[in-house]
Amino acid sequence: MYLQFRDDVEAALVSALEALDLPTDDLGVEDPPEGVEAVLASSAAFRLASEVGAPPPQVAGQIADEIDAGDYEYVEAASAQGPYVNFLPSDAYYEGTVEQAQSEDFGRLEPSGERVVVEHTSANPTGPVHVGRARNPIVGDSVARILDFAGHDVERHYYVNDAGRQMAVFTWAYETFDEDDLPQPDREKADYDLVRYYRKGNDFLETADPDEVEAAEDEIQAIMQGLEDGDEETFERVREVVDTVLGGMRESLERLPAAFDEFVKESRFMRDGSVDDVVERLKASDEAVYEEDAWQLELDEYGIEKNFVFLRSDGTTLYATRDLAHHEWKFDNYDRAVTVLGEDHKLQAEQMNATLDLLGNDTDKLRQVIYSYVNLPEGKMSTRAGTGIDLDDLLDEAVERAREEVENRLDDRIRDDDLTEEDVSRIAEQVGIGAVRYDIVSKQPTKAITFEWDRALDFEAQSAPYVQYVHARTCGILEEAGISSDAPDALSAEFDASLLETDAERELLEVVARFPAVIEEAAADLEPHVVATYTREFAETFNRFYRECPVLADDVDDDLRDARLALVAAAKHAVGNALGVLGVAAPRSM
């Protein structure tokens, strides 16, 4: 109903401004100032004051006087307060919200018909997923989920570097060294198994006799050249290593969870001639120069001082060159492309955008989400023999810590057999991994953060467990009333939403109603933290309702009970779907 209410507010403002013969290009519709009893407000009076020749409060009063709330189904009243025109919703708004939110798909926007590809993570397949990059799959997967919920046709891609020097080194090492010469893997998992060869190879190249290193480099260069020349045997050799490592990486990412529709390999664009085509077009551009044994682009006109290198002197291309062909393929197949990148790739992103523009592409179709890295606390995740901290380490510790917290809180219920051992394990997994994901996605991507266990797993603070507990509470209320929390799409009883009159009930209705608009905003700005902020506000509002408005108490009459149950079901759908688009589990019990 919030979106319909906003439409009515905008229509009322347009009508009033036209009646006053004032421009309607900027209605200034926004959340009201703090302390103002309204759902929406207009700040248009600020903009129009100079044109009218009157102070903003006077202009706001003129606009409000021109509005007849009775002409609009969801507007109860419009009034001026200082420089703002404030709008209150009608009973139809509240009643419609409860009815609309009975659907398990509540908040999902209408299909846009737009195909969007979201590329994220894309870590080189040289070993297990490192925790330093954990923000990428968490932010990227959340962006994809939000765009999907906003009505877009979304595909999730992982761009695989299977043709660079790293993979040539990996392939050479895998074919050169015996397993007997390697340490035991840290885990029984494919990526941990093969990464031992990669580390052994790099160590050999740094410490071996110069003649042996030279011979090894010749073999590595032959692999790189074979890939560049489209040699099928070379591709097959590299593919064995890449696909095996990717298999292990996928297992780790699926725990977050972060799933992909396609793993797009850069070698495909070498094999189909796309990269050669890009190179020839770049060479022919006025910005191309051959300097320092490489073909480069001068991008001064785009405000970029550092040249973009796209071809080495030996005729081999770079990752960035192949990524240009990859992006042109995206433009040919999708309406929009979103890429999630670490802050250390900001310059490369600027060079990419400028070069794509030089090649004649519509770069308005491309948006990048840049994120800063996550700092980790000291503790069990200490670095192992210089290999770094893997994502699996973080998730294992998260589940272990969550289990301790859950068992401390649920000892009595476990003894009473209300929760089985299987229930405790499920809750620990949902809470632990949810805590990691929520804590990271809840911050603005451009801000560096330090992950802290105590904060992330605090059931009383603004954390994942705090919000998850609200969802579990809604399920508990519904199940106590005999309504399955698995399928509460429609309540068995009719309900009269007009009975929801208290401040706590109305506040909860208002925050439920805003959920579709939150999805709309988060999708437009590619900012998942907007949804996380909403869930925290939602949890606080629901908890106030829970304290002040008993649902199943004996002294609550049947009609009010049914209305409040409908509101609880609406709340369950809103908070459950909000957690869902963040990729955080919504437990039925905690």
Short mmCIF file of all heavy atoms in Angstrom, two decimals, residues 285-346:
data_model
loop_
_atom_site.label_atom_id
_atom_site.label_comp_id
_atom_site.label_asym_id
_atom_site.label_seq_id
_atom_site.Cartn_x
_atom_site.Cartn_y
_atom_site.Cartn_z
N SER A 285 42.55 2.80 -32.69
CA SER A 285 42.03 4.02 -32.08
C SER A 285 43.12 5.09 -31.98
O SER A 285 44.32 4.78 -31.93
CB SER A 285 41.47 3.73 -30.68
OG SER A 285 42.52 3.40 -29.80
N ASP A 286 42.71 6.33 -31.92
CA ASP A 286 43.65 7.45 -31.83
C ASP A 286 44.39 7.45 -30.50
O ASP A 286 45.46 8.06 -30.38
CB ASP A 286 42.91 8.78 -31.99
CG ASP A 286 42.33 8.95 -33.39
OD1 ASP A 286 42.83 8.30 -34.32
OD2 ASP A 286 41.36 9.73 -33.53
N GLU A 287 43.82 6.82 -29.50
CA GLU A 287 44.42 6.82 -28.16
C GLU A 287 45.48 5.73 -27.98
O GLU A 287 46.14 5.67 -26.94
CB GLU A 287 43.33 6.63 -27.10
CG GLU A 287 42.38 7.81 -26.93
CD GLU A 287 41.35 7.91 -28.05
OE1 GLU A 287 41.21 6.93 -28.82
OE2 GLU A 287 40.70 8.96 -28.16
N ALA A 288 45.66 4.84 -28.97
CA ALA A 288 46.59 3.72 -28.84
C ALA A 288 48.03 4.16 -29.07
O ALA A 288 48.32 4.91 -30.01
CB ALA A 288 46.21 2.61 -29.81
N VAL A 289 48.93 3.70 -28.21
CA VAL A 289 50.37 3.96 -28.35
C VAL A 289 51.12 2.68 -28.02
O VAL A 289 50.62 1.83 -27.25
CB VAL A 289 50.84 5.10 -27.42
CG1 VAL A 289 50.22 6.43 -27.81
CG2 VAL A 289 50.54 4.78 -25.96
N TYR A 290 52.32 2.55 -28.60
CA TYR A 290 53.17 1.41 -28.25
C TYR A 290 54.33 1.96 -27.44
O TYR A 290 55.21 2.66 -27.96
CB TYR A 290 53.68 0.70 -29.50
CG TYR A 290 54.42 -0.59 -29.18
CD1 TYR A 290 53.71 -1.77 -28.96
CD2 TYR A 290 55.81 -0.62 -29.07
CE1 TYR A 290 54.37 -2.95 -28.65
CE2 TYR A 290 56.48 -1.80 -28.75
CZ TYR A 290 55.74 -2.96 -28.54
OH TYR A 290 56.40 -4.13 -28.22
N GLU A 291 54.31 1.68 -26.14
CA GLU A 291 55.32 2.19 -25.23
C GLU A 291 55.71 1.10 -24.24
O GLU A 291 54.88 0.28 -23.86
CB GLU A 291 54.79 3.40 -24.44
CG GLU A 291 54.49 4.63 -25.27
CD GLU A 291 53.94 5.77 -24.43
OE1 GLU A 291 53.68 5.56 -23.22
OE2 GLU A 291 53.78 6.86 -24.97
N GLU A 292 56.98 1.13 -23.83
CA GLU A 292 57.48 0.21 -22.82
C GLU A 292 57.13 -1.24 -23.15
O GLU A 292 56.66 -2.01 -22.30
CB GLU A 292 56.93 0.60 -21.43
CG GLU A 292 57.33 2.00 -21.01
CD GLU A 292 56.72 2.40 -19.67
OE1 GLU A 292 55.95 1.58 -19.11
OE2 GLU A 292 57.00 3.49 -19.20
N ASP A 293 57.35 -1.60 -24.43
CA ASP A 293 57.15 -2.97 -24.90
C ASP A 293 55.71 -3.46 -24.72
O ASP A 293 55.48 -4.64 -24.42
CB ASP A 293 58.11 -3.94 -24.19
CG ASP A 293 59.56 -3.65 -24.54
OD1 ASP A 293 59.81 -3.23 -25.68
OD2 ASP A 293 60.42 -3.82 -23.66
N ALA A 294 54.75 -2.57 -24.90
CA ALA A 294 53.35 -2.98 -24.79
C ALA A 294 52.45 -1.98 -25.50
O ALA A 294 52.78 -0.79 -25.61
CB ALA A 294 52.94 -3.09 -23.32
N TRP A 295 51.31 -2.49 -26.00
CA TRP A 295 50.29 -1.61 -26.55
C TRP A 295 49.45 -1.07 -25.40
O TRP A 295 49.00 -1.81 -24.53
CB TRP A 295 49.41 -2.37 -27.54
CG TRP A 295 50.01 -2.51 -28.91
CD1 TRP A 295 50.71 -3.57 -29.40
CD2 TRP A 295 49.95 -1.54 -29.95
NE1 TRP A 295 51.10 -3.33 -30.69
CE2 TRP A 295 50.64 -2.08 -31.06
CE3 TRP A 295 49.39 -0.27 -30.07
CZ2 TRP A 295 50.78 -1.41 -32.27
CZ3 TRP A 295 49.51 0.41 -31.25
CH2 TRP A 295 50.21 -0.15 -32.35
N GLN A 296 49.22 0.26 -25.44
CA GLN A 296 48.51 0.91 -24.36
C GLN A 296 47.52 1.94 -24.91
O GLN A 296 47.63 2.37 -26.05
CB GLN A 296 49.50 1.63 -23.42
CG GLN A 296 50.63 0.76 -22.93
CD GLN A 296 51.57 1.51 -22.01
OE1 GLN A 296 51.16 2.41 -21.28
NE2 GLN A 296 52.86 1.15 -22.04
N LEU A 297 46.58 2.32 -24.06
CA LEU A 297 45.66 3.41 -24.39
C LEU A 297 45.93 4.58 -23.48
O LEU A 297 46.06 4.43 -22.26
CB LEU A 297 44.20 2.97 -24.20
CG LEU A 297 43.57 2.00 -25.19
CD1 LEU A 297 42.12 1.76 -24.80
CD2 LEU A 297 43.64 2.55 -26.61
N GLU A 298 46.00 5.78 -24.06
CA GLU A 298 46.08 7.00 -23.27
C GLU A 298 44.66 7.49 -22.99
O GLU A 298 43.90 7.76 -23.92
CB GLU A 298 46.89 8.06 -24.03
CG GLU A 298 48.35 7.68 -24.22
CD GLU A 298 49.13 8.73 -25.01
OE1 GLU A 298 48.47 9.47 -25.78
OE2 GLU A 298 50.36 8.81 -24.85
N LEU A 299 44.32 7.59 -21.71
CA LEU A 299 42.94 7.91 -21.33
C LEU A 299 42.84 9.26 -20.62
O LEU A 299 41.96 9.49 -19.80
CB LEU A 299 42.40 6.80 -20.42
CG LEU A 299 42.38 5.39 -21.04
CD1 LEU A 299 41.98 4.34 -19.99
CD2 LEU A 299 41.42 5.35 -22.23
N ASP A 300 43.75 10.19 -21.00
CA ASP A 300 43.76 11.50 -20.37
C ASP A 300 42.43 12.23 -20.50
O ASP A 300 42.00 12.94 -19.58
CB ASP A 300 44.87 12.39 -20.97
CG ASP A 300 46.25 11.81 -20.72
OD1 ASP A 300 46.35 10.82 -19.99
OD2 ASP A 300 47.22 12.36 -21.27
N GLU A 301 41.79 12.08 -21.65
CA GLU A 301 40.53 12.81 -21.87
C GLU A 301 39.42 12.34 -20.94
O GLU A 301 38.41 13.02 -20.76
CB GLU A 301 40.07 12.66 -23.32
CG GLU A 301 39.71 11.24 -23.74
CD GLU A 301 39.17 11.16 -25.15
OE1 GLU A 301 38.01 11.55 -25.34
OE2 GLU A 301 39.92 10.73 -26.05
N TYR A 302 39.61 11.18 -20.32
CA TYR A 302 38.65 10.68 -19.34
C TYR A 302 39.09 11.00 -17.91
O TYR A 302 38.47 10.54 -16.95
CB TYR A 302 38.47 9.17 -19.48
CG TYR A 302 37.77 8.76 -20.75
CD1 TYR A 302 38.49 8.47 -21.90
CD2 TYR A 302 36.38 8.68 -20.81
CE1 TYR A 302 37.85 8.10 -23.09
CE2 TYR A 302 35.72 8.30 -21.98
CZ TYR A 302 36.47 8.02 -23.11
OH TYR A 302 35.83 7.66 -24.28
N GLY A 303 40.16 11.78 -17.78
CA GLY A 303 40.66 12.13 -16.46
C GLY A 303 41.43 11.01 -15.80
O GLY A 303 41.59 11.01 -14.57
N ILE A 304 41.93 10.05 -16.58
CA ILE A 304 42.68 8.91 -16.04
C ILE A 304 44.13 9.03 -16.48
O ILE A 304 44.45 8.99 -17.67
CB ILE A 304 42.07 7.57 -16.55
CG1 ILE A 304 40.61 7.46 -16.14
CG2 ILE A 304 42.87 6.39 -16.01
CD1 ILE A 304 39.89 6.28 -16.74
N GLU A 305 45.03 9.21 -15.52
CA GLU A 305 46.43 9.45 -15.84
C GLU A 305 47.17 8.18 -16.23
O GLU A 305 48.07 8.21 -17.08
CB GLU A 305 47.13 10.12 -14.64
CG GLU A 305 46.58 11.50 -14.31
CD GLU A 305 47.31 12.12 -13.14
OE1 GLU A 305 48.29 11.50 -12.65
OE2 GLU A 305 46.92 13.22 -12.71
N LYS A 306 46.81 7.08 -15.64
CA LYS A 306 47.54 5.83 -15.90
C LYS A 306 47.03 5.18 -17.19
O LYS A 306 45.83 5.01 -17.38
CB LYS A 306 47.35 4.86 -14.73
CG LYS A 306 48.20 3.59 -14.84
CD LYS A 306 48.03 2.74 -13.60
CE LYS A 306 48.82 1.43 -13.70
NZ LYS A 306 50.26 1.65 -13.83
N ASN A 307 47.98 4.84 -18.08
CA ASN A 307 47.60 4.20 -19.34
C ASN A 307 47.02 2.81 -19.10
O ASN A 307 47.36 2.12 -18.15
CB ASN A 307 48.81 4.08 -20.27
CG ASN A 307 49.16 5.41 -20.93
OD1 ASN A 307 48.56 6.43 -20.62
ND2 ASN A 307 50.14 5.38 -21.81
N PHE A 308 46.17 2.40 -20.04
CA PHE A 308 45.54 1.08 -19.99
C PHE A 308 46.32 0.15 -20.93
O PHE A 308 46.32 0.33 -22.15
CB PHE A 308 44.08 1.18 -20.42
CG PHE A 308 43.36 -0.13 -20.52
CD1 PHE A 308 42.98 -0.81 -19.38
CD2 PHE A 308 43.06 -0.69 -21.75
CE1 PHE A 308 42.31 -2.03 -19.46
CE2 PHE A 308 42.39 -1.90 -21.85
CZ PHE A 308 42.01 -2.56 -20.70
N VAL A 309 47.01 -0.85 -20.39
CA VAL A 309 47.80 -1.79 -21.19
C VAL A 309 46.89 -2.92 -21.66
O VAL A 309 46.21 -3.55 -20.86
CB VAL A 309 48.97 -2.37 -20.37
CG1 VAL A 309 49.77 -3.35 -21.20
CG2 VAL A 309 49.86 -1.24 -19.85
N PHE A 310 46.88 -3.16 -22.97
CA PHE A 310 45.97 -4.20 -23.47
C PHE A 310 46.65 -5.30 -24.28
O PHE A 310 46.02 -6.30 -24.62
CB PHE A 310 44.84 -3.57 -24.31
CG PHE A 310 45.27 -2.86 -25.56
CD1 PHE A 310 45.39 -3.54 -26.77
CD2 PHE A 310 45.56 -1.50 -25.55
CE1 PHE A 310 45.77 -2.90 -27.93
CE2 PHE A 310 45.94 -0.84 -26.71
CZ PHE A 310 46.05 -1.54 -27.91
N LEU A 311 47.97 -5.16 -24.60
CA LEU A 311 48.65 -6.22 -25.35
C LEU A 311 50.14 -6.18 -25.04
O LEU A 311 50.77 -5.12 -25.13
CB LEU A 311 48.42 -6.04 -26.86
CG LEU A 311 48.88 -7.19 -27.76
CD1 LEU A 311 48.03 -8.44 -27.51
CD2 LEU A 311 48.81 -6.78 -29.23
N ARG A 312 50.70 -7.34 -24.67
CA ARG A 312 52.13 -7.41 -24.39
C ARG A 312 52.92 -7.48 -25.69
O ARG A 312 52.38 -7.76 -26.77
CB ARG A 312 52.43 -8.65 -23.53
CG ARG A 312 51.72 -8.70 -22.19
CD ARG A 312 52.18 -9.92 -21.40
NE ARG A 312 51.47 -10.08 -20.13
CZ ARG A 312 50.35 -10.79 -19.97
NH1 ARG A 312 49.83 -11.44 -21.03
NH2 ARG A 312 49.77 -10.88 -18.81
N SER A 313 54.22 -7.30 -25.57
CA SER A 313 55.09 -7.30 -26.75
C SER A 313 55.15 -8.67 -27.41
O SER A 313 55.39 -8.78 -28.62
CB SER A 313 56.51 -6.87 -26.35
OG SER A 313 57.03 -7.74 -25.36
N ASP A 314 54.91 -9.75 -26.62
CA ASP A 314 54.95 -11.09 -27.21
C ASP A 314 53.62 -11.48 -27.84
O ASP A 314 53.43 -12.62 -28.28
CB ASP A 314 55.35 -12.13 -26.15
CG ASP A 314 54.37 -12.19 -24.97
OD1 ASP A 314 53.32 -11.52 -25.03
OD2 ASP A 314 54.66 -12.92 -24.00
N GLY A 315 52.66 -10.55 -27.88
CA GLY A 315 51.38 -10.81 -28.54
C GLY A 315 50.33 -11.42 -27.64
O GLY A 315 49.22 -11.71 -28.10
N THR A 316 50.64 -11.62 -26.35
CA THR A 316 49.64 -12.18 -25.43
C THR A 316 48.81 -11.04 -24.81
O THR A 316 49.33 -9.96 -24.55
CB THR A 316 50.29 -13.00 -24.31
OG1 THR A 316 51.26 -12.19 -23.62
CG2 THR A 316 50.99 -14.22 -24.89
N THR A 317 47.55 -11.34 -24.58
CA THR A 317 46.65 -10.35 -24.03
C THR A 317 46.65 -10.40 -22.50
O THR A 317 47.20 -11.33 -21.90
CB THR A 317 45.21 -10.58 -24.53
OG1 THR A 317 44.83 -11.93 -24.24
CG2 THR A 317 45.12 -10.34 -26.03
N LEU A 318 46.02 -9.42 -21.90
CA LEU A 318 45.93 -9.36 -20.45
C LEU A 318 44.50 -9.69 -20.00
O LEU A 318 43.57 -9.68 -20.81
CB LEU A 318 46.31 -7.97 -19.94
CG LEU A 318 47.80 -7.59 -20.06
CD1 LEU A 318 48.12 -7.08 -21.45
CD2 LEU A 318 48.18 -6.57 -19.01
N TYR A 319 44.36 -9.94 -18.70
CA TYR A 319 43.03 -10.22 -18.14
C TYR A 319 42.06 -9.09 -18.50
O TYR A 319 40.91 -9.34 -18.88
CB TYR A 319 43.15 -10.35 -16.62
CG TYR A 319 41.83 -10.56 -15.90
CD1 TYR A 319 41.30 -11.83 -15.72
CD2 TYR A 319 41.13 -9.47 -15.38
CE1 TYR A 319 40.10 -12.01 -15.05
CE2 TYR A 319 39.92 -9.64 -14.72
CZ TYR A 319 39.42 -10.92 -14.55
OH TYR A 319 38.23 -11.09 -13.89
N ALA A 320 42.52 -7.85 -18.38
CA ALA A 320 41.65 -6.71 -18.64
C ALA A 320 41.20 -6.66 -20.10
O ALA A 320 40.06 -6.28 -20.39
CB ALA A 320 42.36 -5.41 -18.27
N THR A 321 42.06 -7.07 -21.00
CA THR A 321 41.69 -7.09 -22.42
C THR A 321 40.58 -8.10 -22.66
O THR A 321 39.60 -7.83 -23.36
CB THR A 321 42.90 -7.48 -23.29
OG1 THR A 321 44.09 -6.87 -22.76
CG2 THR A 321 42.69 -7.05 -24.73
N ARG A 322 40.74 -9.26 -22.07
CA ARG A 322 39.73 -10.30 -22.24
C ARG A 322 38.42 -9.91 -21.56
O ARG A 322 37.34 -10.26 -22.02
CB ARG A 322 40.28 -11.62 -21.68
CG ARG A 322 41.58 -12.05 -22.39
CD ARG A 322 42.04 -13.41 -21.96
NE ARG A 322 42.66 -13.44 -20.66
CZ ARG A 322 43.97 -13.22 -20.42
NH1 ARG A 322 44.78 -12.90 -21.42
NH2 ARG A 322 44.45 -13.30 -19.19
N ASP A 323 38.54 -9.12 -20.49
CA ASP A 323 37.34 -8.66 -19.80
C ASP A 323 36.56 -7.65 -20.64
O ASP A 323 35.34 -7.52 -20.50
CB ASP A 323 37.72 -8.04 -18.45
CG ASP A 323 36.57 -8.05 -17.46
OD1 ASP A 323 35.59 -8.79 -17.67
OD2 ASP A 323 36.64 -7.32 -16.46
N LEU A 324 37.25 -6.92 -21.51
CA LEU A 324 36.55 -6.02 -22.43
C LEU A 324 35.62 -6.81 -23.35
O LEU A 324 34.46 -6.44 -23.56
CB LEU A 324 37.56 -5.23 -23.26
CG LEU A 324 38.34 -4.12 -22.54
CD1 LEU A 324 39.47 -3.63 -23.44
CD2 LEU A 324 37.42 -2.97 -22.15
N ALA A 325 36.15 -7.90 -23.91
CA ALA A 325 35.33 -8.75 -24.77
C ALA A 325 34.17 -9.35 -23.97
O ALA A 325 33.04 -9.47 -24.47
CB ALA A 325 36.18 -9.87 -25.38
N HIS A 326 34.45 -9.71 -22.73
CA HIS A 326 33.43 -10.26 -21.84
C HIS A 326 32.30 -9.24 -21.64
O HIS A 326 31.11 -9.58 -21.72
CB HIS A 326 34.09 -10.60 -20.51
CG HIS A 326 33.17 -11.00 -19.41
ND1 HIS A 326 33.37 -10.62 -18.10
CD2 HIS A 326 32.02 -11.72 -19.41
CE1 HIS A 326 32.40 -11.11 -17.35
NE2 HIS A 326 31.57 -11.78 -18.11
N HIS A 327 32.66 -7.98 -21.41
CA HIS A 327 31.65 -6.95 -21.18
C HIS A 327 30.84 -6.65 -22.45
O HIS A 327 29.63 -6.42 -22.37
CB HIS A 327 32.29 -5.67 -20.64
CG HIS A 327 32.45 -5.69 -19.14
ND1 HIS A 327 33.44 -6.40 -18.52
CD2 HIS A 327 31.73 -5.11 -18.15
CE1 HIS A 327 33.34 -6.24 -17.20
NE2 HIS A 327 32.30 -5.47 -16.96
N GLU A 328 31.48 -6.67 -23.58
CA GLU A 328 30.72 -6.45 -24.82
C GLU A 328 29.73 -7.59 -25.04
O GLU A 328 28.62 -7.37 -25.55
CB GLU A 328 31.67 -6.30 -26.01
CG GLU A 328 32.48 -5.01 -25.95
CD GLU A 328 33.10 -4.64 -27.28
OE1 GLU A 328 33.55 -5.56 -28.01
OE2 GLU A 328 33.13 -3.44 -27.61
N TRP A 329 30.12 -8.79 -24.64
CA TRP A 329 29.19 -9.93 -24.71
C TRP A 329 28.00 -9.70 -23.78
O TRP A 329 26.85 -9.99 -24.13
CB TRP A 329 29.94 -11.20 -24.32
CG TRP A 329 29.09 -12.41 -24.14
CD1 TRP A 329 28.55 -13.22 -25.10
CD2 TRP A 329 28.66 -12.97 -22.88
NE1 TRP A 329 27.82 -14.24 -24.53
CE2 TRP A 329 27.88 -14.11 -23.17
CE3 TRP A 329 28.88 -12.62 -21.55
CZ2 TRP A 329 27.31 -14.89 -22.18
CZ3 TRP A 329 28.31 -13.40 -20.55
CH2 TRP A 329 27.53 -14.52 -20.88
N LYS A 330 28.27 -9.16 -22.59
CA LYS A 330 27.18 -8.84 -21.67
C LYS A 330 26.22 -7.83 -22.29
O LYS A 330 24.99 -7.98 -22.22
CB LYS A 330 27.73 -8.24 -20.36
CG LYS A 330 28.46 -9.19 -19.45
CD LYS A 330 28.87 -8.43 -18.19
CE LYS A 330 29.74 -9.22 -17.27
NZ LYS A 330 30.13 -8.46 -16.06
N PHE A 331 26.78 -6.79 -22.90
CA PHE A 331 25.93 -5.75 -23.49
C PHE A 331 25.05 -6.31 -24.61
O PHE A 331 23.94 -5.85 -24.83
CB PHE A 331 26.80 -4.62 -24.04
CG PHE A 331 27.52 -3.83 -22.98
CD1 PHE A 331 28.65 -3.09 -23.30
CD2 PHE A 331 27.10 -3.82 -21.66
CE1 PHE A 331 29.33 -2.35 -22.34
CE2 PHE A 331 27.77 -3.10 -20.68
CZ PHE A 331 28.90 -2.36 -21.03
N ASP A 332 25.57 -7.32 -25.31
CA ASP A 332 24.80 -7.92 -26.40
C ASP A 332 23.67 -8.81 -25.89
O ASP A 332 22.69 -9.04 -26.60
CB ASP A 332 25.72 -8.77 -27.30
CG ASP A 332 26.64 -7.92 -28.16
OD1 ASP A 332 26.34 -6.72 -28.35
OD2 ASP A 332 27.66 -8.45 -28.63
N ASN A 333 23.81 -9.31 -24.66
CA ASN A 333 22.86 -10.31 -24.18
C ASN A 333 21.98 -9.87 -23.02
O ASN A 333 21.03 -10.58 -22.66
CB ASN A 333 23.63 -11.57 -23.76
CG ASN A 333 24.21 -12.32 -24.95
OD1 ASN A 333 23.52 -13.11 -25.60
ND2 ASN A 333 25.48 -12.07 -25.25
N TYR A 334 22.29 -8.71 -22.42
CA TYR A 334 21.53 -8.26 -21.26
C TYR A 334 21.23 -6.77 -21.38
O TYR A 334 21.95 -6.02 -22.05
CB TYR A 334 22.30 -8.53 -19.96
CG TYR A 334 22.61 -10.00 -19.77
CD1 TYR A 334 23.80 -10.54 -20.23
CD2 TYR A 334 21.68 -10.84 -19.16
CE1 TYR A 334 24.07 -11.90 -20.09
CE2 TYR A 334 21.94 -12.20 -19.00
CZ TYR A 334 23.14 -12.72 -19.47
OH TYR A 334 23.40 -14.06 -19.34
N ASP A 335 20.17 -6.36 -20.70
CA ASP A 335 19.80 -4.94 -20.71
C ASP A 335 20.69 -4.13 -19.78
O ASP A 335 20.93 -2.94 -20.02
CB ASP A 335 18.33 -4.77 -20.27
CG ASP A 335 17.39 -5.51 -21.20
OD1 ASP A 335 17.44 -5.26 -22.42
OD2 ASP A 335 16.59 -6.34 -20.71
N ARG A 336 21.14 -4.77 -18.71
CA ARG A 336 22.01 -4.08 -17.76
C ARG A 336 23.02 -5.06 -17.21
O ARG A 336 22.76 -6.26 -17.12
CB ARG A 336 21.20 -3.50 -16.58
CG ARG A 336 20.64 -2.12 -16.83
CD ARG A 336 20.37 -1.43 -15.50
NE ARG A 336 19.30 -2.03 -14.74
CZ ARG A 336 19.24 -1.99 -13.41
NH1 ARG A 336 20.22 -1.45 -12.71
NH2 ARG A 336 18.22 -2.53 -12.78
N ALA A 337 24.18 -4.53 -16.81
CA ALA A 337 25.22 -5.35 -16.20
C ALA A 337 25.70 -4.69 -14.91
O ALA A 337 25.95 -3.48 -14.88
CB ALA A 337 26.40 -5.52 -17.17
N VAL A 338 25.80 -5.49 -13.86
CA VAL A 338 26.28 -5.01 -12.56
C VAL A 338 27.48 -5.85 -12.19
O VAL A 338 27.45 -7.08 -12.28
CB VAL A 338 25.19 -5.15 -11.48
CG1 VAL A 338 25.73 -4.73 -10.11
CG2 VAL A 338 23.95 -4.33 -11.84
N THR A 339 28.56 -5.20 -11.76
CA THR A 339 29.77 -5.90 -11.34
C THR A 339 30.14 -5.46 -9.94
O THR A 339 30.15 -4.25 -9.65
CB THR A 339 30.95 -5.61 -12.29
OG1 THR A 339 30.54 -5.83 -13.64
CG2 THR A 339 32.12 -6.52 -11.98
N VAL A 340 30.44 -6.41 -9.07
CA VAL A 340 30.84 -6.11 -7.69
C VAL A 340 32.35 -6.27 -7.60
O VAL A 340 32.89 -7.32 -7.93
CB VAL A 340 30.13 -7.05 -6.70
CG1 VAL A 340 30.52 -6.72 -5.27
CG2 VAL A 340 28.61 -6.95 -6.86
N LEU A 341 33.02 -5.19 -7.17
CA LEU A 341 34.48 -5.16 -7.18
C LEU A 341 35.03 -4.62 -5.87
O LEU A 341 34.43 -3.76 -5.23
CB LEU A 341 34.98 -4.24 -8.31
CG LEU A 341 34.60 -4.62 -9.75
CD1 LEU A 341 34.90 -3.46 -10.68
CD2 LEU A 341 35.38 -5.85 -10.17
N GLY A 342 36.22 -5.12 -5.49
CA GLY A 342 36.92 -4.58 -4.33
C GLY A 342 37.50 -3.21 -4.64
O GLY A 342 37.73 -2.85 -5.80
N GLU A 343 37.76 -2.45 -3.59
CA GLU A 343 38.24 -1.08 -3.76
C GLU A 343 39.60 -1.02 -4.49
O GLU A 343 39.92 -0.01 -5.11
CB GLU A 343 38.35 -0.39 -2.41
CG GLU A 343 39.31 -1.07 -1.43
CD GLU A 343 39.26 -0.46 -0.04
OE1 GLU A 343 38.53 0.54 0.13
OE2 GLU A 343 39.94 -0.97 0.87
N ASP A 344 40.36 -2.12 -4.45
CA ASP A 344 41.63 -2.14 -5.14
C ASP A 344 41.47 -2.24 -6.66
O ASP A 344 42.44 -2.12 -7.40
CB ASP A 344 42.51 -3.29 -4.63
CG ASP A 344 41.84 -4.64 -4.76
OD1 ASP A 344 40.60 -4.68 -4.72
OD2 ASP A 344 42.55 -5.66 -4.89
N HIS A 345 40.23 -2.46 -7.12
CA HIS A 345 39.96 -2.52 -8.55
C HIS A 345 39.30 -1.24 -9.08
O HIS A 345 38.82 -1.23 -10.21
CB HIS A 345 39.06 -3.72 -8.86
CG HIS A 345 39.74 -5.04 -8.75
ND1 HIS A 345 39.92 -5.69 -7.55
CD2 HIS A 345 40.31 -5.85 -9.69
CE1 HIS A 345 40.56 -6.83 -7.75
NE2 HIS A 345 40.80 -6.95 -9.03
N LYS A 346 39.29 -0.21 -8.26
CA LYS A 346 38.59 1.01 -8.67
C LYS A 346 39.21 1.63 -9.92
O LYS A 346 38.49 2.05 -10.84
CB LYS A 346 38.59 2.02 -7.52
CG LYS A 346 37.68 3.22 -7.77
CD LYS A 346 37.56 4.08 -6.53
CE LYS A 346 36.60 5.24 -6.78
NZ LYS A 346 36.45 6.10 -5.57
#
